[in-house]
Amino acid sequence: MPRPTPSTALSKLRVLDLSRVRAGPTCARIFADFGADVIKVESPPGFDPNENMSGARHGYDMQNLHRNKRSLTVNLKTPQGQAILRKLIEGADLLVENFRPDVKDRLGLDFETLHKLNPRLILVSISGFGQSGPYRTRAGFDQIAQGMGGMMSVTGLPGQGPVRAGIAVADSAAGLYGALGAFVALQERATSGKGQWVQTSLLEAQIAMMDFQAARFLVEGTVPPQAGNDHPYSTPMGVYATRNGYINIGVGAEGHWRSFCTAIGRPELADDPEYDSMEKRLPKRPELRVMFEDILRQHDSAHWLAAFEAAAVPAGPIYAVDEMFDDPQVQHLGIAQAVNHPVLGDYRVVGEPVTLSRTPASVATATPEAGEHNDEILAELGYDAGAVAELRRAGAI
């Protein structure tokens, strides 16, 4: 029976995913969701002391990160396992890895060695701090990158002290940037016929995600402080209390300001010389917050969201994750996608947040069991049943 494919967009590509935890698997998952043959190359169960760094095999994280992939278990400490990997590399388009640079060199997965095996191969290396420099051999984790990349210094309430973001920003961003670099390299290869080395790191990705806050310092020399739930330089833009909860309000331009004042029943504020420009309002944000929340607390969130929508004032609810997936627009977008697992049954994972009109991504198969596709992949590489049995006896797979 043919294996279900999530998309035809990248069906001609073969990707080797030698990564683990989050950044590398995120990169490879993009290719898998758009139909590339992504082979998750991993150690046989029990060989790697860190094999559960992403949680249990049947846990939510592994199931979300490795859907649409095939699994091949290879013991790279054996000559036979190394030979299998070389055969895979010879026919691959991309190899995604997030070993520390010194570990990669020791395993013979450096770009120079791989390029000799397959000149068309694109190596995507995602590290904590970069492939060179004084921190190249340090182990990197998302929260460490958040701290070093400036994010924890601008997150949280003023004076609170450093606060991590509630999601793995550096990890996920590094995976996205790795995929972006890989797509650029694939496009260039169509002209040159040659692969190249794509490099990114958690630290670089986190700094890039700082975006306007980082530019604020580089261009103006201003070190941005914590602003809590308020926008750094626009107001009223942030979290405001209503009678039964909180909502986000985003007044980003003077037209929004006039509409906002009308919507809350205070149209005279729009032309008040105390508040008639963002430059005047920003220093008076504390007193304005008291004024606005006195008004907003008179009605429920739903009332104000409807009023602001009618007045074309940007605003929105603040959801817990269960509420988020219940929202009609989220359901319309279909980003929660169903998949069936032979053990776990039916469940949903987070789909790709980009839609192509002809060849969209989808979730066709669940995360494979470790080594689920050993026989299938090894047969594609030319190993017959007897050779596969011998590899098992030798502990190579």
Side-chain angles (χ1 to χ4, degrees), residues 184-377:
V184 173
L186 283 166
Q187 179 65 24
E188 191 279 337
R189 191 183 71 175
T191 301
S192 69
K194 298 178 181 179
Q196 56 183 306
W197 190 7
V198 175
Q199 306 171 36
T200 190
S201 67
L202 273 61
L203 181 59
E204 291 168 283
Q206 181 60 80
I207 293 170
M209 293 300 288
M210 288 290 287
D211 197 46
F212 76 91
Q213 296 281 44
R216 188 176 178 185
F217 170 74
L218 292 175
V219 176
E220 296 182 350
T222 302
V223 177
Q226 289 173 305
N229 289 320
D230 288 321
H231 192 276
Y233 50 77
S234 294
T235 194
M237 184 177 287
V239 176
Y240 288 82
T242 68
R243 185 162 63 186
N244 67 333
Y246 297 89
I247 61 174
N248 272 315
I249 297 172
V251 174
E254 293 309 311
H256 294 154
W257 167 245
R258 302 184 74 84
S259 298
F260 171 80
C261 293
T262 299
I264 64 171
R266 295 292 302 275
E268 75 281 1
L269 288 176
D271 296 314
D272 190 315
E274 293 282 316
Y275 312 122
D276 61 3
S277 72
M278 192 69 75
E279 291 75 19
K280 293 178 181 178
R281 290 194 297 275
L282 201 58
K284 296 174 180 172
R285 178 153 52 192
E287 66 185 66
L288 284 171
R289 172 174 289 280
V290 172
M291 180 193 306
F292 296 149
E293 289 195 336
D294 282 346
I295 297 169
L296 295 170
R297 288 182 195 275
Q298 296 173 20
H299 297 285
D300 291 350
S301 297
H303 168 90
W304 290 117
L305 291 173
F308 291 140
E309 182 176 359
V313 175
I318 299 173
Y319 288 146
V321 174
D322 57 340
E323 297 170 313
M324 173 185 75
F325 283 116
D326 280 342
D327 183 276
Q329 181 65 24
V330 175
Q331 293 182 353
H332 168 78
L333 293 171
I335 196 166
Q337 296 199 4
V339 67
N340 178 267
H341 188 281
V343 175
L344 300 173
D346 295 327
Y347 60 89
R348 295 182 299 166
V349 293
V350 183
E352 290 295 333
V354 59
T355 301
L356 276 65
S357 60
R358 287 190 298 104
T359 56
S362 69
V363 180
T365 57
T367 292
E369 299 296 277
E372 180 178 330
H373 302 97
N374 281 5
D375 291 4
E376 178 182 303
I377 295 169

Side-chain angles (χ1 to χ4, degrees), residues 48-307:
D48 183 355
N50 297 318
E51 67 183 22
N52 291 324
M53 285 181 70
S54 295
R57 190 81 183 191
H58 291 167
Y60 61 88
D61 210 12
M62 286 286 287
Q63 294 302 309
N64 193 52
L65 282 168
H66 297 288
R67 75 286 182 102
N68 289 333
K69 301 177 185 179
R70 297 195 288 170
S71 172
L72 173 68
T73 53
V74 177
N75 183 356
L76 295 179
K77 295 181 179 179
T78 66
Q80 299 96 323
Q82 294 170 8
I84 292 170
L85 182 58
R86 283 195 296 272
K87 283 179 175 287
L88 282 170
I89 290 168
E90 288 169 358
D93 294 284
L94 285 92
L95 188 154
V96 180
E97 59 85 17
N98 58 359
F99 297 109
R100 288 200 326 264
D102 57 324
V103 174
K104 176 170 63 266
D105 294 345
R106 189 165 67 246
L107 291 173
L109 295 173
D110 57 283
F111 180 68
E112 290 73 18
T113 300
L114 297 177
H115 189 66
K116 291 175 183 175
L117 282 172
N118 179 355
R120 290 177 55 81
L121 182 74
I122 293 164
L123 173 63
V124 182
S125 294
I126 304 175
S127 61
F129 303 99
Q131 299 296 313
S132 59
Y135 301 161
R136 69 184 294 269
T137 60
R138 288 188 185 181
F141 286 94
D142 176 82
Q143 185 158 339
I144 296 171
Q146 284 194 32
M148 294 179 66
M151 186 163 191
M152 292 175 68
S153 74
V154 298
T155 304
L157 299 172
Q160 181 178 6
V163 178
R164 69 179 291 274
I167 60 171
V169 178
D171 268 340
S172 297
L176 293 171
Y177 281 119
L180 174 62
F183 283 119
V184 173
L186 283 166
Q187 179 65 24
E188 191 279 337
R189 191 183 71 175
T191 301
S192 69
K194 298 178 181 179
Q196 56 183 306
W197 190 7
V198 175
Q199 306 171 36
T200 190
S201 67
L202 273 61
L203 181 59
E204 291 168 283
Q206 181 60 80
I207 293 170
M209 293 300 288
M210 288 290 287
D211 197 46
F212 76 91
Q213 296 281 44
R216 188 176 178 185
F217 170 74
L218 292 175
V219 176
E220 296 182 350
T222 302
V223 177
Q226 289 173 305
N229 289 320
D230 288 321
H231 192 276
Y233 50 77
S234 294
T235 194
M237 184 177 287
V239 176
Y240 288 82
T242 68
R243 185 162 63 186
N244 67 333
Y246 297 89
I247 61 174
N248 272 315
I249 297 172
V251 174
E254 293 309 311
H256 294 154
W257 167 245
R258 302 184 74 84
S259 298
F260 171 80
C261 293
T262 299
I264 64 171
R266 295 292 302 275
E268 75 281 1
L269 288 176
D271 296 314
D272 190 315
E274 293 282 316
Y275 312 122
D276 61 3
S277 72
M278 192 69 75
E279 291 75 19
K280 293 178 181 178
R281 290 194 297 275
L282 201 58
K284 296 174 180 172
R285 178 153 52 192
E287 66 185 66
L288 284 171
R289 172 174 289 280
V290 172
M291 180 193 306
F292 296 149
E293 289 195 336
D294 282 346
I295 297 169
L296 295 170
R297 288 182 195 275
Q298 296 173 20
H299 297 285
D300 291 350
S301 297
H303 168 90
W304 290 117
L305 291 173

